[in-house]
Amino acid sequence: MLSSKASCNSHGEDSSYFLGWQLYDNNPFHGVVNPTGIIQMGLAENQLSFDLVESWLRKNLDAMGLKKDGESVFREALFQDYHGLPAFKKELVEYMAKIRGNKVTFDPNNLVLAAGATSANETLIFCLVDPGQAILLPTPYYPGFNRDLKWRTGVEIVPVHCWSSNGFRITMSALEDAYQSAQTLNLKVKGVLITNPSNRLGTTMTREERSHLITFAIAKNIHIISDEVFAGTVFDSPGFISIMEAAMDRSLENENPGLWNRIHIVYSLSKDLGLPGFRVGMIYSNNETVVSAATRMSSFGLVSSQTQYLLSNMLANKKFTSKYMKENQKRLKRKKEMLVSGLRTSGMECLKSNAGLFCWVDMRHLLSSNTFEAETKLWKTILCEVGLNMTAGESCHCSEPGWLRVCFANKSQATVQIAMRRLRDFAER
Amino acid sequence: MGLLSRKATCNTHGQDSSYFLGWQEYEKNPYNEVNNPNGIIQMGLAENQLCLDLLEPWLMKNPDALGLKRDGISIFKELALFQDYNGFPAFKRALADFMGEIRGNKVSFDPNHVVLTAGATSANETLMFCLADQGDAFLLPTPYYPGFDRDLRWRTGVEIVPIHCTSSNGFKVTLPAIEQAYRQAQKRKLRVKGVLITNPSNPLGTTMARDELDLLINFIEDRQIHLISDEIYSGTVFTSPSFVSVMEVLKDRNLDQTQVWERVHIVYSLSKDLGLPGFRVGAIYSNDPVVVSAATKMSSFGLVSSQTQYLLSAMLLDKKFTKEYMSENHKRLQKQQKDLVSGLEKAGIRCLDSNAGLFCWVDMRHLLKSNTFEAEMELWQKIIYHVKINISPGSSCHCIEPGWFRVCFANMSESTLKLAIQRLKSFVSSIGMKSQSHQELKSLRRKARNNWVFRLSLQSFYDREQDTTTKVSFSYRPHFMSLSNIAATLDAAA
């Protein structure tokens, strides 16, 4: 009666990742109203710097009010062009460059707007991969990729296994192994998708990893998709090196134009600016055909012109964006350190991280056995008895049991302290 | 192995057709009352720009809605973080109520059955993904919105099989036509999953009669398939007969607790009724909880900006405003349509009798050199180059009779409309005077026809609006003059 897509569960929403959310929704923590409720530590949202954005908005009422110099620009704000508001794209590429320390510049004509990175990722896959083909993804990875990259596209994900023994870094042999697995399964590999900074680990890619990827992509003649949605959350050294910068450093445009045309970036304002509700995502590619196809596909998920207008004004204010970036990074660092030390007092170590809105926490010593069943049991205990919703490594396709992702940027200081206290009590037991 | 996907390199998006020439020409030379009075007038854009002057004062009087405040307090943070694919509850309630009002409150809509999407474009595609698999088919009455070729087929792999309608009965859907389409699908070994209708119709501008809807409901009941009713123009019905939604017919026939109730789905949007295409507000309405659930999850790929949901929930909740707006909207649409119809009549051109939409379905068959799509293309190109008006040829809407054109009227002022009509009048009279040199022209063309070139480069063809895309089927037009040749020939004949 319905399509197979509607009746299957490839959307992946039956996984534990989403279950924790549901339980949280039924019993959410609130400092005053529900102090014993579940604290949401599974949500990678950046709520630390809203006051800065709100202060900008208060001083720039015209932008919200669809006005310019007091005159209504409502009609101009009503356009429906899948090329996007030119002023907005110009500001976006400048902002993207700024985040990358202005070591790369981006051309607004190579930028395609999409309704969030969710839409951008799916669209890129539709452009690069046919149904039944595969892309490689280093583990652990964002659980939402199962839906975003596979569900309606019919594409397969083959994991590139990473291990705690080397800090979960991508190795050449891991890439080769994944490629071999795909071949064994008769799956044509079209590309590798990395998230840099990593969503799970909170780390930025090393020079070595970048080098492996580029070498590998050249050898296998495949695409590199670099999901850089957390690029603006790098709060510590080493700094962030975008795949584009790595490509430029190796002069790929001249030395290997084939690969230059197979590198694509996904970005969004949801994590850096903390605006997930506004649905602002984008694809950046040097490949004209990809830009053209993705632009047409963006018809299925355009960004509201009202939102484009508001944000083009915000990003045009360079003083604001500089201040925001600096302050945001400071606050992220502080919160992360608070979480790390709090976890340490409960006997839990975190993977050393310099970015993201979360820590990757080692709870292997708390497992009753070195299995994913034990991990699930632990996760459930922490959810139901300790009242903390974290993300179990298994839902992120981690290859080793015992790692959990814990978010810190959506909580006030007080809430984090309460969470840490609960964990301490639990650990003592 | 192809570097990119087949989807990226094929032309199922339909934007390769030579049709987009009209857009390209318009973009190069757009009419402007002050700056470019001899430019091309855009009548291929089905946008409602007649009532923006009503929206603006509402925005001024309701600064909280734009300013993301509630009772004067900023709720910016709440909205900035709101990315729940179940949608902003107040907005869904307001939207469901608004949809009910448009249908004279003869049906009511449950907000829990509403799925928000980034425009009807996204809604239609999502419904395809939910109801059909790759290689399945949907039946669509012709003529239909050219964008469907992309929206329903491109990434879904679903096929469209046309239900051919003709001018002999005002392009109404008939049972023999539906059955013929079904048989066609079977011949092509396609499993038919449903029928998709646009009611009011784009490009006809007419509402479906109750008997047509009955016919369709009987058909889908019989074949156990789905019916999608794209009702995005439901708020543009400006004169009788009034709009009857398929939901109303189901209710009247007491089918609302039966199986067929769960196989009828509505697509809606605020782009046409409220004239807000840029805000990307679309919706799927379904009584099938599995469809609602799947579509809701899929809406992750095209959520509506929370900033926009908040603004519009405030606007739609202002019932006094929406009532006044809709009433004035209808008045202005009716006037503009009447002006176009009577103006064209004076030029000897008739329109299909219409009561809705932002366009007229115009009969220019008598202006064709021959009853062929080639002649239709020739006429269309003349209208772009010499009359300097961009309109949509019927072949781009898969009409099976050559000579029909969709002409939009709601995206321009009264004076621009007058000018367009004037230009058309002059053109029609000049054709009359030139019938003698027609023979000379014919032989010149025969020579020129031997120089095909022809493939315009791919450019942004949906630059403004997706309503005017076309995929001109090459089976209709085996010969095609190169542009420069046409221009040269016409100049020579002038």
Side-chain angles (χ1 to χ4, degrees):
Chain A
M1 212 6 48
L2 302 184
S3 68
S4 51
K5 287 179 179 68
S7 353
C8 70
N9 62 3
S10 303
H11 48 68
E13 285 190 31
D14 300 333
S15 82
S16 66
Y17 180 68
F18 294 97
L19 177 64
W21 282 52
Q22 283 165 15
L23 286 178
Y24 164 76
D25 278 340
N26 292 336
N27 180 20
F29 168 84
H30 186 280
V32 177
V33 175
N34 188 19
T36 55
I38 297 179
I39 298 179
Q40 177 62 284
M41 304 194 90
L43 189 54
E45 262 174 17
N46 184 0
Q47 295 186 26
L48 301 184
S49 305
F50 269 119
D51 57 313
L52 301 176
V53 176
E54 276 172 316
S55 142
W56 182 90
L57 288 171
R58 272 194 302 273
K59 298 193 206 116
N60 292 271
L61 295 171
D62 267 11
M64 292 263 262
L66 296 179
K67 291 208 196 101
K68 196 182 188 159
D69 304 322
E71 295 296 313
S72 166
V73 290
F74 177 64
R75 285 163 204 252
E76 286 75 22
L78 280 185
F79 72 96
Q80 176 200 3
D81 180 350
Y82 63 18
H83 290 101
L85 182 64
F88 184 43
K89 295 213 311 192
K90 173 177 163 291
E91 296 307 334
L92 275 173
V93 298
E94 284 179 20
Y95 183 68
M96 283 170 71
K98 199 167 178 163
I99 287 177
R100 290 154 183 75
N102 286 315
K103 281 178 262 161
V104 267
T105 51
F106 296 94
D107 179 351
N109 295 316
N110 290 357
L111 191 73
V112 181
L113 298 178
T118 301
S119 178
N121 276 315
E122 192 200 39
T123 293
L124 248 192
I125 297 299
F126 268 125
C127 288
L128 305 178
V129 194
D130 283 320
Q133 294 178 336
I135 44 161
L136 309 182
L137 248 70
T139 66
Y141 62 77
Y142 162 53
F145 279 151
N146 288 328
R147 172 198 61 189
D148 300 352
L149 311 179
K150 294 172 55 176
W151 189 18
R152 307 189 309 178
T153 61
V155 165
E156 287 302 328
I157 292 176
V158 175
V160 177
H161 292 291
C162 300
W163 306 92
S164 59
S165 53
N166 75 337
F168 295 95
R169 296 287 172 203
I170 301 168
T171 62
M172 204 48 165
S173 58
L175 286 165
E176 290 287 354
D177 283 348
Y179 194 84
Q180 288 312 312
S181 308
Q183 298 217 295
T184 315
L185 295 167
N186 250 327
L187 296 169
K188 228 167 210 144
V189 174
K190 291 303 288 289
V192 54
L193 189 149
I194 54 170
T195 310
N196 178 30
S198 162
N199 177 0
R200 300 302 102 177
L201 308 177
T203 54
T204 47
M205 225 170 235
T206 61
R207 180 182 286 274
E208 210 183 6
E209 284 176 293
R210 285 191 300 273
S211 180
H212 290 325
L213 269 168
I214 287 175
T215 306
F216 184 72
I218 291 175
K220 310 293 186 196
N221 196 27
I222 60 175
H223 296 271
I224 298 178
I225 300 174
S226 182
D227 182 332
E228 301 186 350
V229 297
F230 289 99
T233 67
V234 179
F235 48 75
D236 219 338
S237 63
F240 175 61
I241 308 273
S242 164
I243 191 73
M244 213 46 92
E245 192 185 327
M248 281 171 61
D249 284 347
R250 280 173 66 151
S251 308
L252 285 182
E253 194 172 5
N254 297 319
E255 303 295 321
N256 196 324
L259 180 58
W260 178 253
N261 278 323
R262 296 199 308 273
I263 292 180
H264 322 281
I265 291 180
V266 166
Y267 185 58
S268 141
L269 297 183
S270 302
K271 308 297 178 185
D272 295 353
L273 286 186
L275 305 172
F278 288 4
R279 313 315 300 143
V280 181
M282 59 215 82
I283 295 168
Y284 188 89
S285 176
N286 295 314
N287 185 322
E288 254 177 49
T289 314
V290 172
V291 171
S292 170
T295 300
R296 291 180 184 138
M297 282 192 191
S298 70
S299 302
F300 300 110
L302 295 174
V303 180
S304 166
S305 54
Q306 177 194 11
T307 301
Q308 291 191 49
Y309 184 78
L310 170 65
L311 296 179
S312 68
N313 278 284
M314 190 188 289
L315 296 181
N317 189 326
K318 308 294 182 190
K319 212 162 139 225
F320 164 75
T321 54
S322 295
K323 178 172 172 214
Y324 181 91
M325 277 170 58
K326 214 162 140 211
E327 188 58 31
N328 183 38
Q329 284 160 13
K330 230 195 268 172
R331 296 180 187 185
L332 285 170
K333 184 171 179 183
R334 206 166 41 221
K335 250 315 142 56
K336 180 215 98 157
E337 279 167 355
M338 200 184 152
L339 181 71
V340 169
S341 60
L343 288 169
R344 192 168 282 143
T345 24
S346 304
M348 297 171 208
E349 286 300 322
C350 299
L351 183 74
K352 190 157 186 293
S353 69
N354 64 326
L357 312 174
F358 32 73
C359 287
W360 190 237
V361 186
D362 186 354
M363 299 201 197
R364 288 175 292 175
H365 58 292
L366 295 174
L367 295 183
S368 52
S369 61
N370 184 27
T371 61
F372 285 110
E373 287 76 26
E375 179 188 279
T376 306
K377 211 160 133 234
L378 174 65
W379 169 76
K380 269 209 185 108
T381 306
I382 296 179
L383 174 63
C384 302
E385 289 178 28
V386 188
L388 303 178
N389 180 32
M390 304 179 172
T391 313
E394 192 188 10
S395 67
C396 316
H397 303 270
C398 186
S399 315
E400 311 172 14
W403 293 86
L404 275 74
R405 187 191 74 161
V406 181
C407 300
F408 56 75
N410 60 325
K411 306 260 86 58
S412 68
Q413 203 147 316
T415 312
V416 174
Q417 275 165 353
I418 294 173
M420 294 300 97
R421 196 166 48 238
R422 288 187 190 179
L423 256 183
R424 247 196 329 270
D425 296 341
F426 168 70
E428 273 157 22
R429 281 185 270 133
Chain B
M1 166 174 85
L3 177 64
L4 304 183
S5 68
R6 280 190 284 271
K7 288 178 178 74
T9 44
C10 70
N11 61 4
T12 313
H13 47 70
Q15 289 184 219
D16 282 5
S17 75
S18 59
Y19 171 72
F20 94 94
L21 170 69
W23 282 90
Q24 203 183 33
E25 294 306 308
Y26 168 76
E27 292 292 318
K28 280 197 237 161
N29 184 19
Y31 168 81
N32 182 291
E33 206 162 338
V34 177
N35 302 327
N36 190 19
N38 293 320
I40 296 179
I41 298 176
Q42 174 63 289
M43 299 190 92
L45 183 60
E47 260 182 21
N48 185 356
Q49 295 177 12
L50 299 181
C51 292
L52 298 179
D53 60 309
L54 299 177
L55 290 175
E56 276 169 318
W58 186 92
L59 293 171
M60 298 302 124
K61 285 195 220 121
N62 294 272
D64 270 11
L66 269 179
L68 303 185
K69 292 200 181 119
R70 190 187 282 137
D71 305 321
I73 315 264
S74 169
I75 53 164
F76 175 76
K77 186 171 165 179
E78 179 190 327
L79 291 172
L81 292 174
F82 184 83
Q83 57 168 334
D84 182 354
Y85 60 24
N86 290 299
F88 204 62
F91 182 47
K92 293 215 308 196
R93 265 196 313 271
L95 188 62
D97 280 349
F98 185 63
M99 286 169 71
E101 266 160 42
I102 287 179
R103 289 153 185 74
N105 286 316
K106 282 179 249 155
V107 268
S108 62
F109 293 89
D110 180 350
N112 295 318
H113 292 192
V114 174
V115 180
L116 297 176
T117 60
T121 301
S122 178
N124 278 314
E125 191 199 40
T126 295
L127 260 185
M128 282 299 113
F129 273 124
C130 289
L131 304 179
D133 285 315
Q134 183 135 354
D136 287 341
F138 258 76
L139 310 181
L140 259 68
T142 65
Y144 63 74
Y145 162 54
F148 280 149
D149 288 328
R150 173 199 63 186
D151 299 352
L152 310 180
R153 297 172 51 214
W154 189 17
R155 308 192 304 179
T156 61
V158 171
E159 285 300 330
I160 294 177
V161 176
I163 298 171
H164 285 301
C165 302
T166 67
S167 59
S168 60
N169 73 340
F171 295 94
K172 297 233 174 267
V173 174
T174 63
L175 185 57
I178 301 176
E179 286 178 339
Q180 156 76 341
Y182 195 86
R183 277 193 302 272
Q184 250 314 95
Q186 292 186 311
K187 240 196 248 169
R188 288 169 61 183
K189 303 233 182 321
L190 299 168
R191 186 173 58 155
V192 175
K193 291 313 286 289
V195 178
L196 188 148
I197 57 172
T198 308
N199 178 28
S201 163
N202 175 10
L204 304 176
T206 53
T207 46
M208 251 186 198
R210 222 172 245 274
D211 59 354
E212 278 177 286
L213 291 168
D214 273 329
L215 183 62
L216 285 159
I217 290 171
N218 293 341
F219 186 77
I220 64 150
E221 212 178 357
D222 187 47
R223 308 291 168 140
Q224 308 225 332
I225 59 179
H226 296 272
L227 178 63
I228 299 176
S229 182
D230 182 334
E231 301 187 350
I232 66 173
Y233 289 98
S234 48
T236 68
V237 180
F238 50 78
T239 191
S240 62
S242 58
F243 176 61
V244 179
S245 166
V246 66
M247 284 300 175
E248 192 186 326
V249 177
L250 285 170
K251 211 166 139 229
D252 290 347
R253 284 173 59 167
N254 291 322
L255 291 172
D256 47 340
Q257 297 309 321
T258 63
Q259 261 199 7
V260 75
W261 179 247
E262 289 192 354
R263 289 204 305 274
V264 175
H265 322 277
I266 289 183
V267 166
Y268 186 57
S269 148
L270 296 180
S271 302
K272 309 296 178 186
D273 294 351
L274 286 190
L276 303 172
F279 286 8
R280 312 316 300 144
V281 180
I284 294 168
Y285 188 88
S286 176
N287 293 310
D288 182 339
V290 181
V291 171
V292 171
S293 171
T296 300
K297 294 179 174 109
M298 285 191 190
S299 70
S300 303
F301 299 110
L303 295 173
V304 180
S305 166
S306 56
Q307 178 192 14
T308 300
Q309 289 191 52
Y310 184 68
L311 168 67
L312 296 178
S313 65
M315 192 184 285
L316 295 183
L317 281 172
D318 187 344
K319 307 275 170 113
K320 185 161 172 278
F321 170 73
T322 54
K323 211 168 166 169
E324 281 168 11
Y325 179 93
M326 294 306 279
S327 164
E328 188 60 28
N329 185 32
H330 294 164
K331 258 197 225 133
R332 295 182 188 185
L333 285 171
Q334 184 171 31
K335 170 147 199 321
Q336 203 94 329
Q337 185 253 24
K338 268 205 176 109
D339 286 352
L340 177 65
V341 170
S342 59
L344 289 175
E345 219 167 68
K346 296 199 181 87
I349 299 175
R350 286 202 325 267
C351 300
L352 183 74
D353 230 350
S354 69
N355 63 327
L358 311 175
F359 30 74
C360 285
W361 188 236
V362 183
D363 186 355
M364 299 205 199
R365 289 176 292 174
H366 59 297
L367 299 176
L368 297 184
K369 292 287 187 294
S370 60
N371 184 26
T372 62
F373 286 105
E374 183 186 24
E376 181 184 278
M377 275 296 111
E378 216 177 283
L379 175 61
W380 175 62
Q381 278 156 6
K382 262 190 230 162
I383 295 178
I384 292 179
Y385 282 104
H386 285 242
V387 191
K388 300 235 176 60
I389 299 180
N390 181 35
I391 57 180
S392 312
S395 50
S396 68
C397 308
H398 301 272
C399 185
I400 56 163
E401 299 176 15
W404 291 87
F405 290 80
R406 188 191 76 168
V407 180
C408 300
F409 56 73
N411 61 320
M412 61 190 62
S413 66
E414 246 181 85
S415 51
T416 308
L417 184 60
K418 268 202 185 90
L419 175 62
I421 293 170
Q422 187 52 48
R423 287 186 186 176
L424 268 169
K425 256 205 231 147
S426 316
F427 168 68
V428 172
S429 3
S430 77
I431 282 188
M433 288 174 3
K434 283 183 189 165
S435 60
Q436 290 145 328
S437 44
H438 173 61
Q439 289 311 311
E440 298 160 33
L441 202 56
K442 262 173 101 172
S443 69
L444 272 170
R445 283 210 185 95
R446 231 174 278 124
K447 286 187 197 142
R449 237 176 243 133
N450 296 325
N451 307 329
W452 325 126
V453 158
F454 219 53
R455 183 90 178 157
L456 293 172
S457 64
L458 307 184
Q459 285 282 313
S460 64
F461 152 58
Y462 279 103
D463 267 359
R464 277 313 155 92
E465 186 261 353
Q466 280 83 339
D467 271 314
T468 58
T469 67
T470 122
K471 187 175 172 197
V472 179
S473 165
F474 284 94
S475 64
Y476 292 145
R477 305 174 303 108
H479 304 295
F480 203 23
M481 290 168 83
S482 79
L483 252 213
S484 48
N485 279 328
I486 293 170
T489 314
L490 292 172
D491 282 345

